[in-house]
Amino acid sequence: MRIVILMGSPRKQDSLNVCKEIELRLGTKNMTYDYIFLKDYEIQDCRGCGLCFKKSEKLCPCRDDLDIIRKKLLEADGIIIATPVYAYQVPSPLKRIIDRMAFLFHRQELVGKPTLIVITSDGGGHKQVGKYMKMTISGWACNLIGIISII
Ligand SMILES: Cc1cc2nc3c(=O)[nH]c(=O)nc-3n(C[C@H](O)[C@H](O)[C@H](O)COP(=O)(O)O)c2cc1C
């Protein structure tokens, strides 16, 4: 199974440690783990034209690395989305790709992908972020298998 791990944090600390622990428990037999540190990709802000969901995502005026991430998600057998809480929301590297992939709410190409959400926080806002991520995953039509929230 190929697990793709979307890392929302701009740093490699708490949420990465939780993912490494999950990796340790799932083991390496027939498993591969592909970490995508979103901070390392060039992802432009959504410009709000709406062409992606009105017509086709191919008409998106942004030219950046989004398709690389999208392809990895498409090819994954399972997805982990790991995020810290930043000011009661997900941090910008993750929010940016959720906005840019808003067309997935209309064309659900990731339908049925088993998806685990990992949230780390200092204890404020993890419920809101859990709810937000749950709605996002449901909009993508992925199969939410759980939310791990660590304070
Ligand atoms: C800019 C910034 C904003 C934060 N906002 C919140 C917050 O609103 N609520 C909270 O509980 N923790 C907040 N935190 C703490 C982080 O969510 C927490 O330390 C988390 O475990 C960091 O995970 P990471 O090491 O994977 O980035 C914030 C941290 C930073 C740097």
Side-chain angles (χ1 to χ4, degrees):
M1 274 187 83
R2 183 177 172 187
I3 309 295
V4 166
I5 306 168
L6 279 189
M7 299 298 303
S9 180
R11 68 177 191 176
K12 296 180 178 176
Q13 205 169 303
D14 300 345
S15 47
L16 179 61
N17 289 341
V18 177
C19 290
K20 288 288 175 189
E21 183 66 35
I22 293 168
E23 184 182 333
L24 209 64
R25 290 180 191 213
L26 290 176
T28 49
K29 198 175 172 205
N30 300 324
M31 303 287 273
T32 61
Y33 302 92
D34 184 3
Y35 285 82
I36 301 178
F37 294 96
L38 293 172
K39 69 174 180 64
D40 295 336
Y41 289 78
E42 194 211 335
I43 305 292
Q44 294 167 12
D45 285 333
C46 171
R47 297 184 202 171
C49 64
L51 282 173
C52 62
F53 51 84
K54 284 187 213 134
K55 291 191 174 168
S56 164
E57 67 276 13
K58 292 192 183 93
L59 299 176
C60 177
C62 300
R63 293 285 166 264
D64 56 20
D65 294 335
L66 188 74
D67 276 346
I68 300 172
I69 294 165
R70 189 176 158 208
K71 187 165 179 279
K72 282 174 183 270
L73 291 174
L74 266 174
E75 289 169 357
D77 298 305
I79 299 169
I80 299 176
I81 304 180
T83 180
V85 174
Y86 267 23
Y88 298 97
Q89 244 294 344
V90 298
S92 51
L94 179 57
K95 184 68 171 82
R96 209 175 281 124
I97 68 146
I98 292 172
D99 289 354
R100 287 285 306 287
M101 297 201 297
F103 62 87
L104 290 182
F105 292 105
H106 302 265
R107 282 188 302 286
Q108 296 157 328
E109 63 186 20
L110 300 177
V111 63
K113 296 253 185 213
T115 302
L116 175 69
I117 295 167
V118 171
I119 300 167
T120 57
S121 72
D122 288 350
H126 57 288
K127 285 187 185 151
Q128 292 92 322
V129 167
K131 193 173 169 196
Y132 171 68
M133 287 309 302
K134 203 170 160 186
M135 284 166 65
T136 301
I137 289 317
S138 144
W140 291 2
C142 291
N143 178 17
L144 179 69
I145 56 169
I147 300 182
I148 296 176
S149 180
I150 308 278
I151 299 173

